[in-house]
Amino acid sequence: MPDRITLVTALQGAGWHPAAWRTAGTARTGGPTAARLTSLRHWRDVVVEQDRLGVDAVTIEDSFTAGPVDQSGDLDTRTVVGRLDALLVANAVAPATRAVGLVPTVSVTHTEPFHVATGLQTLDHVSLGRAGWRVQVSPTTREAALFGRRPGGDDAAALFDEAREVAEVVSRLWDSWDDDAIIRDVTTGRFIDRDRIHNASFVGQHVSVHGASIVPRSPQGRPPVFALAHRADAARFAVDAADVVLVTPGFDGLEARGALALVRDAEQAAGSETRRPVLADLAVLIGSSAAAAADELAALDAAAGTPYAVGSGSDTSVLATTVADLVERIGDLRDSGYAGVRLRPLRIPVDSTAIARQLVPALVTAGLRADVASRPTADLRTRLGIAPAVSRYVRQSAGTSPVAQEASA
């Protein structure tokens, strides 16, 4: 059986369960204390373990709020409050890792496309071609108030329209340097060939740019873009802007097949000939038995004061499960057309460690993945099975339409 399953671990603080910091963070269990959650050591230890044991990529969550908010709109002090910048964390841990993809969440709503583009290009250089980008919008007035440029509270359609333009501009900036733009010609004294740097010209309703990136073209050219498609409008955006689509079985009553169909229908409606890899996004607590996992989840829920489930803190299915049951579920998802899974560990490092140390070898045994030792180190696009990124300016130089330099409305 071919190695078709992509495995991504979604990292967030002490874990995705609001009470994880209260139960998984003791020195006796080796878990992160509250003080370690904002330390480089915590992030490096967790990501290096995923890298060493063969997980394909990690996503790192981020937001313009310091943590979840309660019903009154204030920060919910019962869960982890305070976070490090995901893009900076990814750059910091990159030198300690060898093969794992590093996919920070970077919002486009209040962020200049130029800064998004150059920050992710820098990560791709630092990681030698292992950068990705989980694109996100920021809809709340609380987030907007931190920037003070706009009132916030835009409707979803406007946010996604803006995000499409930002993703387009970022892609153009990534393409603005040819692979061989740096010539280092000592004889003529030219460090670059100016003709190999292109104007990423774009004029839209929300953003406009004129000029090129300051960062030379990175190893992947364009790091793969991930987008969460938990409903129809988000699926349409993902089809327009993303290379990898994340869906949330259980959200809004959609089961696994329905969540996948949401993306395939959006691809068909857009006239897209590309079938993007779709990953099922699942929140997991991994126990030694089904009963033990259920008891551990119940203990977390009791500590939080409310169950963590779809519609109650989670936007996707929450599984208290065993490694064997999780392998079976992943196999079923593969048979249904999924390229793999992104797993949200409810407790870090307890469940993230179980993913790396127990689930990965179990998937190998089940024939769903190749052994890590047989997987050559590759850039993230290759590891995800995505075609290499060809600059739009290559098409221009080959004599076809110079679409890259046209302004788009």
Side-chain angles (χ1 to χ4, degrees), residues 14-42:
W16 286 77
H17 197 288
W21 68 278
R22 299 175 62 182
T23 60
T26 66
R28 181 179 61 80
T29 63
T33 64
R36 287 194 69 201
L37 293 179
T38 52
S39 72
L40 176 58
R41 179 180 176 183
H42 163 66

Short mmCIF file of all heavy atoms in Angstrom, two decimals, residues 14-42:
data_model
loop_
_atom_site.label_atom_id
_atom_site.label_comp_id
_atom_site.label_asym_id
_atom_site.label_seq_id
_atom_site.Cartn_x
_atom_site.Cartn_y
_atom_site.Cartn_z
N ALA A 14 -0.66 24.70 25.96
CA ALA A 14 -0.60 23.45 26.72
C ALA A 14 -1.47 22.38 26.10
O ALA A 14 -1.55 21.27 26.62
CB ALA A 14 -1.04 23.70 28.17
N GLY A 15 -2.12 22.69 24.99
CA GLY A 15 -3.04 21.75 24.35
C GLY A 15 -4.34 22.45 24.04
O GLY A 15 -4.60 23.58 24.46
N TRP A 16 -5.20 21.76 23.28
CA TRP A 16 -6.43 22.38 22.80
C TRP A 16 -7.55 22.39 23.83
O TRP A 16 -8.50 23.15 23.70
CB TRP A 16 -6.89 21.68 21.52
CG TRP A 16 -6.03 22.06 20.35
CD1 TRP A 16 -4.78 21.60 20.07
CD2 TRP A 16 -6.34 23.01 19.33
NE1 TRP A 16 -4.29 22.20 18.93
CE2 TRP A 16 -5.23 23.07 18.45
CE3 TRP A 16 -7.45 23.81 19.06
CZ2 TRP A 16 -5.20 23.90 17.33
CZ3 TRP A 16 -7.42 24.64 17.94
CH2 TRP A 16 -6.31 24.68 17.10
N HIS A 17 -7.46 21.55 24.83
CA HIS A 17 -8.49 21.58 25.87
C HIS A 17 -8.23 22.75 26.81
O HIS A 17 -7.09 22.98 27.24
CB HIS A 17 -8.52 20.27 26.66
CG HIS A 17 -9.77 20.09 27.45
ND1 HIS A 17 -10.06 20.83 28.58
CD2 HIS A 17 -10.83 19.25 27.28
CE1 HIS A 17 -11.23 20.46 29.06
NE2 HIS A 17 -11.73 19.50 28.29
N PRO A 18 -9.27 23.53 27.14
CA PRO A 18 -9.06 24.71 27.99
C PRO A 18 -8.42 24.41 29.33
O PRO A 18 -7.73 25.28 29.89
CB PRO A 18 -10.48 25.27 28.17
CG PRO A 18 -11.25 24.75 27.00
CD PRO A 18 -10.67 23.41 26.68
N ALA A 19 -8.61 23.21 29.85
CA ALA A 19 -8.07 22.86 31.17
C ALA A 19 -6.75 22.11 31.09
O ALA A 19 -6.25 21.65 32.12
CB ALA A 19 -9.09 22.04 31.95
N ALA A 20 -6.17 21.97 29.91
CA ALA A 20 -4.95 21.17 29.78
C ALA A 20 -3.83 21.68 30.66
O ALA A 20 -3.07 20.89 31.23
CB ALA A 20 -4.52 21.15 28.32
N TRP A 21 -3.72 22.98 30.81
CA TRP A 21 -2.63 23.54 31.62
C TRP A 21 -2.75 23.15 33.09
O TRP A 21 -1.75 23.14 33.82
CB TRP A 21 -2.60 25.06 31.49
CG TRP A 21 -3.78 25.77 32.11
CD1 TRP A 21 -5.01 25.95 31.55
CD2 TRP A 21 -3.82 26.38 33.40
NE1 TRP A 21 -5.83 26.66 32.41
CE2 TRP A 21 -5.13 26.93 33.56
CE3 TRP A 21 -2.91 26.52 34.44
CZ2 TRP A 21 -5.52 27.59 34.71
CZ3 TRP A 21 -3.30 27.19 35.59
CH2 TRP A 21 -4.60 27.73 35.72
N ARG A 22 -3.95 22.77 33.54
CA ARG A 22 -4.15 22.44 34.95
C ARG A 22 -3.86 20.99 35.25
O ARG A 22 -3.60 20.63 36.40
CB ARG A 22 -5.61 22.73 35.32
CG ARG A 22 -5.99 24.19 35.14
CD ARG A 22 -7.45 24.44 35.39
NE ARG A 22 -7.85 24.12 36.75
CZ ARG A 22 -9.10 24.22 37.20
NH1 ARG A 22 -10.06 24.64 36.38
NH2 ARG A 22 -9.39 23.93 38.45
N THR A 23 -3.90 20.13 34.24
CA THR A 23 -3.75 18.70 34.50
C THR A 23 -2.51 18.08 33.88
O THR A 23 -2.07 17.04 34.32
CB THR A 23 -4.98 17.94 33.98
OG1 THR A 23 -5.08 18.16 32.56
CG2 THR A 23 -6.24 18.40 34.66
N ALA A 24 -1.97 18.72 32.84
CA ALA A 24 -0.84 18.11 32.14
C ALA A 24 0.47 18.82 32.42
O ALA A 24 1.48 18.47 31.85
CB ALA A 24 -1.09 18.12 30.63
N GLY A 25 0.48 19.80 33.30
CA GLY A 25 1.66 20.63 33.43
C GLY A 25 2.36 20.53 34.76
O GLY A 25 2.53 21.52 35.46
N THR A 26 2.75 19.35 35.15
CA THR A 26 3.47 19.21 36.40
C THR A 26 4.88 18.72 36.13
O THR A 26 5.14 18.03 35.15
CB THR A 26 2.78 18.19 37.33
OG1 THR A 26 2.84 16.90 36.74
CG2 THR A 26 1.32 18.57 37.56
N ALA A 27 5.79 19.09 37.01
CA ALA A 27 7.17 18.63 36.86
C ALA A 27 7.25 17.11 36.95
O ALA A 27 8.06 16.47 36.29
CB ALA A 27 8.04 19.28 37.94
N ARG A 28 6.36 16.50 37.74
CA ARG A 28 6.41 15.05 37.94
C ARG A 28 6.11 14.31 36.64
O ARG A 28 6.72 13.29 36.32
CB ARG A 28 5.40 14.63 39.02
CG ARG A 28 5.40 13.13 39.30
CD ARG A 28 4.39 12.81 40.41
NE ARG A 28 3.04 13.17 40.04
CZ ARG A 28 2.25 12.40 39.24
NH1 ARG A 28 2.72 11.27 38.75
NH2 ARG A 28 1.03 12.77 38.95
N THR A 29 5.18 14.81 35.83
CA THR A 29 4.81 14.13 34.59
C THR A 29 5.66 14.58 33.41
O THR A 29 5.55 14.04 32.31
CB THR A 29 3.34 14.42 34.23
OG1 THR A 29 3.18 15.82 34.01
CG2 THR A 29 2.41 13.95 35.32
N GLY A 30 6.52 15.54 33.64
CA GLY A 30 7.33 16.05 32.54
C GLY A 30 6.61 17.03 31.66
O GLY A 30 7.12 17.44 30.62
N GLY A 31 5.42 17.43 32.03
CA GLY A 31 4.64 18.35 31.22
C GLY A 31 5.13 19.77 31.40
O GLY A 31 5.94 20.07 32.28
N PRO A 32 4.66 20.68 30.56
CA PRO A 32 5.12 22.06 30.65
C PRO A 32 4.47 22.79 31.82
O PRO A 32 3.27 22.73 32.00
CB PRO A 32 4.64 22.66 29.32
CG PRO A 32 3.43 21.85 28.97
CD PRO A 32 3.68 20.48 29.51
N THR A 33 5.26 23.42 32.63
CA THR A 33 4.69 24.31 33.64
C THR A 33 4.18 25.54 32.92
O THR A 33 4.51 25.80 31.76
CB THR A 33 5.74 24.70 34.68
OG1 THR A 33 6.76 25.47 34.03
CG2 THR A 33 6.35 23.48 35.33
N ALA A 34 3.38 26.34 33.63
CA ALA A 34 2.85 27.56 33.02
C ALA A 34 3.98 28.46 32.55
O ALA A 34 3.88 29.12 31.51
CB ALA A 34 1.95 28.29 34.01
N ALA A 35 5.07 28.49 33.28
CA ALA A 35 6.20 29.35 32.91
C ALA A 35 6.85 28.90 31.62
O ALA A 35 7.35 29.72 30.84
CB ALA A 35 7.23 29.37 34.03
N ARG A 36 6.83 27.60 31.33
CA ARG A 36 7.51 27.09 30.14
C ARG A 36 6.72 27.36 28.86
O ARG A 36 7.29 27.30 27.78
CB ARG A 36 7.73 25.58 30.26
CG ARG A 36 8.83 25.18 31.24
CD ARG A 36 9.21 23.73 31.05
NE ARG A 36 9.89 23.53 29.77
CZ ARG A 36 9.98 22.35 29.15
NH1 ARG A 36 9.38 21.29 29.66
NH2 ARG A 36 10.63 22.23 28.02
N LEU A 37 5.44 27.64 28.97
CA LEU A 37 4.63 27.79 27.77
C LEU A 37 5.07 28.96 26.91
O LEU A 37 4.82 28.98 25.71
CB LEU A 37 3.15 27.95 28.13
CG LEU A 37 2.49 26.72 28.76
CD1 LEU A 37 1.04 27.02 29.10
CD2 LEU A 37 2.59 25.52 27.84
N THR A 38 5.71 29.94 27.50
CA THR A 38 6.22 31.08 26.73
C THR A 38 7.75 31.03 26.61
O THR A 38 8.39 32.05 26.40
CB THR A 38 5.79 32.41 27.38
OG1 THR A 38 6.15 32.41 28.76
CG2 THR A 38 4.29 32.62 27.23
N SER A 39 8.30 29.82 26.72
CA SER A 39 9.75 29.67 26.58
C SER A 39 10.08 28.99 25.26
O SER A 39 9.31 28.16 24.76
CB SER A 39 10.31 28.85 27.74
OG SER A 39 9.96 27.48 27.61
N LEU A 40 11.22 29.32 24.72
CA LEU A 40 11.69 28.65 23.51
C LEU A 40 11.91 27.17 23.77
O LEU A 40 11.65 26.34 22.89
CB LEU A 40 12.98 29.30 23.02
CG LEU A 40 13.65 28.64 21.81
CD1 LEU A 40 12.70 28.59 20.61
CD2 LEU A 40 14.94 29.36 21.46
N ARG A 41 12.34 26.82 24.97
CA ARG A 41 12.62 25.42 25.27
C ARG A 41 11.37 24.56 25.10
O ARG A 41 11.43 23.45 24.56
CB ARG A 41 13.16 25.29 26.70
CG ARG A 41 13.46 23.84 27.09
CD ARG A 41 14.01 23.75 28.49
NE ARG A 41 14.19 22.36 28.88
CZ ARG A 41 14.60 21.97 30.08
NH1 ARG A 41 14.88 22.87 31.01
NH2 ARG A 41 14.75 20.68 30.35
N HIS A 42 10.23 25.06 25.58
CA HIS A 42 8.98 24.30 25.44
C HIS A 42 8.70 24.02 23.97
O HIS A 42 8.45 22.87 23.57
CB HIS A 42 7.82 25.09 26.05
CG HIS A 42 6.47 24.62 25.61
ND1 HIS A 42 5.97 23.39 25.94
CD2 HIS A 42 5.52 25.24 24.84
CE1 HIS A 42 4.76 23.25 25.40
NE2 HIS A 42 4.46 24.36 24.73
#
